[in-house]
Amino acid sequence: MKITVVGAGAVGATCADNIARKELAEELILLDIREGFAEGKAIDIMQTSAILGFDTKVKGVTNDYAATSNSEVVVITSGLPRKPGMTREELIGTNAGIVKSVTESILKYSPNTIIIVVSNPMDTMNYLTLKTSGLPKNRILGMGGALDSSRFKYYLSQELGCSPADLNAVVIGGHGDTTMIPLIKHATWNSVPVTEFLSQEQQDKIVAATMVGGATLTKLIGTSAWYAPGAGTMAMVESIVRDEKKLISCGVALDGEYGQQDISLVVPVVLGKGGWEKIVNFKLSDAEQEQFDKSADAVRNMNQVLYD
Ligand code: NAI
C-alpha cells in the first residue's frame, strides 16, 4: 500500500505522522513545493519510528510527482491556511489554482487513485477536483465533516461531562462557519438523545460553538488548527485502506441525495476500499432540510467563482 500526502505543512505533516504511527501504508510520500521542506518533515517523522515502533517508510520529495506513482490514496492539503479574522472562502483564488494543478500532476502518475481534499474552501475545492479529475465520484472525498463532527462531540462532551468517544453526533451541509449544520436533534449519548439532558439554551450554545470551532482556534493559535484536521483525515484514510466501512461525514458529489445535485456537500457516507460506497440519507426535519438547502445555495454561489 502506498499513500501520498501533498502539502507538508501543519495539516499534511500531522496527517502523515498519524498515518505512519498507525502503519496504514508500507510507503508514504510527503510532497511539497518548498525546497527541502517535505524531506525534512519526513526525516523528522522517520526519526520517531525507533521510539514509537512503526514500520511505515516516509519519504519527503520536492515537487517530484514521479515518486508518488501508483499511490492508492492521495491527500491534498496544499494551499494557504486562514489567518485570524479570515473566512475559509477568502482562500479560494489562490487555492483553486494550487488544487487544480496538484490534481492534474497526481493523476499523471496515479490515474485510478482515491483523492481526499483538505484544502479550503473544502466544498469548492472538492467540487473542483471532481470536475478536474474525471475520476468516478466515489473516489473523490472532502475532509471537513470528520473534523466538524469531532468538534461537535467535543463541545457536547464539555456540556454533558462525558467522554467525546461515548457520543454519536454528525455535522452535515458545508464546511464553512455559516454553512455547517450540527444535527443536535439526532445526536445521542449511549443511544439516548442528548436533547434529553440539555436545555434549549445549552443546545444553541453547542451548535454555535461548533460552527465557529475553527475560527476560535485560528484566533488563539494565529493560524488554522492541525491536530484534529490531521486526525480526521487519517480516520478517512484508515477506513478506506482497511476497508472498515466506517460511517463518516465527508464532502461528496450529490446526485439527488438530500435534494441536491451537481454540488459537493458534507453528508454521512460509508467509507471502504472503493472510496465512499454509500451515502446515508438522514431523515431531516423540514427546518433541517431548509438549512441544508441554504448551505447548498451558499456553496453553489462559491463554486460559481471557479467559472467567473
Ligand atoms: P500550511 O501553510 O502549514 O501548509 C500548506 C503547505 O502547502 C505548505 O507547506 C506549502 O509549501 C504547500 N504548498 C503550497 N502550494 C503547493 C503546491 N502547488 N504543491 C505542493 N505543496 C504546496 O497550511 P495548513 O495549516 O497545513 O493548511 C493546509 C490547507 O488545509 C489550507 O487550505 C487550510 O485552510 C486547509 N484546512 C482544511 C481543513 C478542513 O477541515 N478541510 C482543516 C484545516 C486546514
Side-chain angles (χ1 to χ4, degrees):
M1 172 68 65
K2 181 170 174 182
I3 296 172
T4 289
V5 176
V6 181
V11 177
T14 307
C15 173
D17 186 32
N18 279 307
I19 290 171
R21 286 178 191 224
K22 287 233 169 187
E23 296 186 316
L24 299 184
E26 281 83 44
E27 197 184 357
L28 174 61
I29 303 295
L30 190 56
L31 181 148
D32 203 283
I33 201 169
R34 204 170 129 193
E35 190 70 43
F37 191 60
E39 286 86 337
K41 292 278 185 111
I43 292 169
D44 195 12
I45 293 172
M46 281 306 290
Q47 289 176 352
T48 69
S49 86
I51 301 164
L52 300 171
F54 61 78
D55 221 7
T56 293
K57 285 180 188 46
V58 187
K59 186 179 173 211
V61 297
T62 303
N63 242 13
D64 174 12
Y65 281 88
T68 70
S69 64
N70 298 318
S71 292
E72 277 149 270
V73 180
V74 175
V75 175
I76 301 180
T77 74
S78 45
L80 295 182
R82 56 182 172 155
K83 296 281 171 218
M86 276 177 97
T87 64
R88 295 174 179 91
E89 288 74 11
E90 286 173 73
L91 302 168
I92 191 169
T94 311
N95 287 358
I98 293 173
V99 169
K100 187 165 186 282
S101 78
V102 165
T103 302
E104 287 163 352
S105 304
I106 281 294
L107 288 172
K108 266 189 216 152
Y109 294 95
S110 304
N112 198 31
T113 193
I114 292 173
I115 299 180
I116 299 177
V117 179
V118 180
S119 312
N120 272 321
M122 183 280 284
D123 306 299
T124 299
M125 294 304 107
N126 202 43
Y127 180 77
L128 174 66
T129 306
L130 275 156
K131 295 283 166 190
T132 307
S133 70
L135 281 171
K137 62 184 180 180
N138 303 62
R139 303 183 83 77
I140 308 283
L141 295 137
M143 198 294 289
L147 169 66
D148 297 329
S149 300
S150 190
R151 285 181 174 153
F152 185 25
K153 288 179 192 172
Y154 165 77
Y155 286 113
L156 280 165
S157 74
Q158 294 291 296
E159 210 63 36
L160 291 164
C162 69
S163 163
D166 286 337
L167 295 166
N168 265 312
V170 163
V171 174
I172 62 168
H175 176 59
D177 294 357
T178 56
T179 56
M180 73 178 75
I181 308 163
L183 289 175
I184 197 149
K185 302 272 183 269
H186 301 255
T188 59
W189 177 15
N190 284 330
S191 307
V192 182
V194 296
T195 48
E196 293 283 323
F197 307 97
L198 300 166
S199 66
Q200 189 58 50
E201 197 187 330
Q202 284 175 303
Q203 293 177 39
D204 293 346
K205 189 174 126 192
I206 291 164
V207 167
T210 303
M211 292 176 80
V212 296
T216 301
L217 292 179
T218 303
K219 219 158 124 192
L220 290 168
I221 303 172
T223 184
S224 66
W226 56 87
Y227 292 117
T233 311
M234 179 280 292
M236 290 170 66
V237 173
E238 184 176 34
S239 192
I240 292 166
V241 303
R242 296 206 165 132
D243 198 24
E244 288 179 334
K245 319 272 188 212
K246 282 217 170 117
L247 191 57
I248 301 180
S249 281
C250 299
V252 297
L254 297 182
D255 191 12
E257 299 89 354
Y258 290 85
Q260 295 294 335
Q261 54 195 7
D262 194 28
I263 192 164
S264 165
L265 285 168
V266 175
V267 295
V269 297
V270 177
L271 277 187
K273 65 178 181 329
W276 64 264
E277 297 182 349
K278 182 181 166 46
I279 292 179
V280 176
N281 255 302
F282 259 102
K283 186 149 180 36
L284 300 182
S285 66
D286 289 350
E288 288 163 343
Q289 183 65 49
E290 200 180 309
Q291 271 181 293
F292 195 86
D293 293 344
K294 266 197 195 147
S295 296
D297 288 347
V299 169
R300 202 168 267 116
N301 274 340
M302 181 59 48
N303 293 351
Q304 193 50 44
V305 177
L306 298 172
Y307 304 104
D308 290 345

